[in-house]
Amino acid sequence: MPVYSFKAAERGYNSTAPYQEVFDIPTYATAYDPAVDKLLSTKPELSAGEIGSKIKIDQSSMTYTTPSGGQEKWRVSFEYPELMSSFFINNISRYEDAKEVAFFEEQDGKQISIPKDSIDYGIGEFNGTVPVVEFNRSSLNFVPKGLLAKAKYVKGVMQINLAEISKASYRIDKLPPGITVSGNKVMVDEAIIKDKILIYPKNTSGRYLKKITSASFSRGDNFGPYIKADYYYGKPFLLECYLLKGNHLVDYHFNVKLTYDEQKKEEKTKSK
């Protein structure tokens, strides 16, 4: 039951009744959201011991231009799973400094020598010209022809930002300052609640309500905090609230078998 369009006038902020100017979107049906059930049935964040098995790794070819013409790079991408923590820590902030990288001819074989000034760890300290190996947030890129030998494995360490999330539940008659419920809308006053908060309302049946839409309302200061309103199919009775309590960095050790040769063979087979 999606809402395709609606019209409402957004009026000025009234300091004596801060929420009365927020418009209504009346609904005459109740709908539940199974996607919220699925999201909240999983852990909100990985532990340090889980990241090695939960981060998905993809490999692909990419080209770049040099004064002498086109060159090929090989990209190893790291994809963090979609968890509740992804709402608090985006992909730009998820991956921090890379600390180590090494290429090998075999899994436990000889390490391929790479000059330090050919590796860009993406921390603003690269002093070379065109790097053979470079980190770009969630990916490791390297030039296969720039290595002294054929690399079959790459190992390394990079830092991952993990969220620490707290949970609290409130009945609508016992809400904390800054959160208000009126009818089918839940309102957050960003002047009081300055940190990002995720709210999942349930009705009296104990099931999560489906959201219609969200809107933000000015408090009279165009550059100041807003009142954020979320509208639902049904009337909330209990709010589950999640806040970012903190975050910390952990080392992520990766050991990747490179598929460069395999993909090249597939390309040659398809071209015949």
Side-chain angles (χ1 to χ4, degrees):
M1 294 182 291
V3 171
Y4 292 102
S5 65
F6 60 88
K7 293 182 179 180
E10 183 179 339
R11 293 161 292 196
Y13 171 73
N14 185 329
S15 61
T16 61
Y19 301 121
Q20 70 178 25
E21 304 298 338
V22 176
F23 60 68
D24 294 325
I25 304 178
T27 180
Y28 304 99
T30 298
Y32 303 106
D33 194 342
V36 173
D37 282 294
K38 183 178 179 181
L39 174 68
L40 300 183
S41 66
T42 60
K43 293 172 57 177
E45 182 58 293
L46 299 178
S47 67
E50 291 176 314
I51 59 175
S53 60
K54 298 295 185 181
I55 292 180
K56 181 181 177 182
I57 297 175
D58 288 319
Q59 300 186 46
S60 61
S61 175
M62 55 185 290
T63 58
Y64 71 104
T65 303
T66 67
S68 60
Q71 290 279 357
E72 184 179 32
K73 285 185 179 180
W74 192 248
R75 169 171 288 176
V76 180
S77 300
F78 305 95
E79 183 180 346
Y80 203 81
E82 283 291 331
L83 301 170
M84 179 183 289
S85 66
S86 300
F87 293 102
F88 294 104
I89 299 178
N90 57 32
N91 281 335
I92 295 177
S93 305
R94 178 69 74 181
Y95 302 89
E96 293 290 335
D97 297 346
K99 299 168 66 176
E100 300 173 19
V101 63
F103 291 84
F104 297 85
E105 296 181 56
E106 299 295 339
Q107 172 69 276
D108 298 313
K110 181 181 177 182
Q111 181 175 337
I112 299 171
S113 177
I114 304 175
K116 290 185 178 180
D117 61 358
S118 296
I119 303 175
D120 182 0
Y121 283 103
I123 56 177
E125 297 180 358
F126 180 64
N127 296 319
T129 52
V130 179
V132 174
V133 182
E134 62 179 335
F135 283 88
N136 183 18
R137 287 296 180 182
S138 60
S139 68
L140 161 68
N141 309 315
F142 70 95
V143 181
K145 292 183 178 179
L147 300 177
L148 298 178
K150 178 76 71 175
K152 294 184 180 180
Y153 291 86
V154 58
K155 304 177 185 180
V157 181
M158 61 196 303
Q159 291 189 305
I160 301 290
N161 203 4
L162 299 184
E164 300 163 15
I165 299 171
S166 64
K167 173 188 174 182
S169 298
Y170 304 98
R171 285 174 38 140
I172 61 171
D173 58 348
K174 295 181 179 180
L175 295 173
I179 302 176
T180 304
V181 172
S182 177
N184 69 327
K185 60 182 180 290
V186 177
M187 293 161 286
V188 175
D189 189 338
E190 295 179 348
I192 299 174
I193 298 181
K194 296 178 170 53
D195 298 322
K196 184 171 183 180
I197 185 172
L198 297 177
I199 299 177
Y200 299 98
K202 294 179 176 180
N203 68 354
T204 53
S205 72
R207 299 173 66 186
Y208 295 103
L209 294 172
K210 186 173 182 62
K211 184 188 291 188
I212 299 173
T213 191
S214 299
S216 294
F217 298 86
S218 172
R219 298 172 53 88
D221 181 354
N222 291 332
F223 301 100
Y226 285 77
I227 295 171
K228 184 175 179 292
D230 293 326
Y231 300 83
Y232 294 89
Y233 289 107
K235 294 184 177 181
F237 173 72
L238 183 78
L239 304 185
E240 286 188 4
C241 302
Y242 295 84
L243 282 165
L244 181 65
K245 187 170 62 174
N247 59 283
H248 63 281
L249 293 173
V250 298
D251 285 346
Y252 166 51
H253 296 257
F254 57 87
N255 183 350
V256 181
K257 180 181 179 181
L258 298 170
T259 59
Y260 180 83
D261 286 339
E262 287 83 346
Q263 293 200 24
K264 286 298 176 185
K265 289 178 183 178
E266 290 181 8
E267 290 175 3
K268 288 182 180 179
T269 301
K270 291 178 182 178
S271 64
K272 290 181 179 180

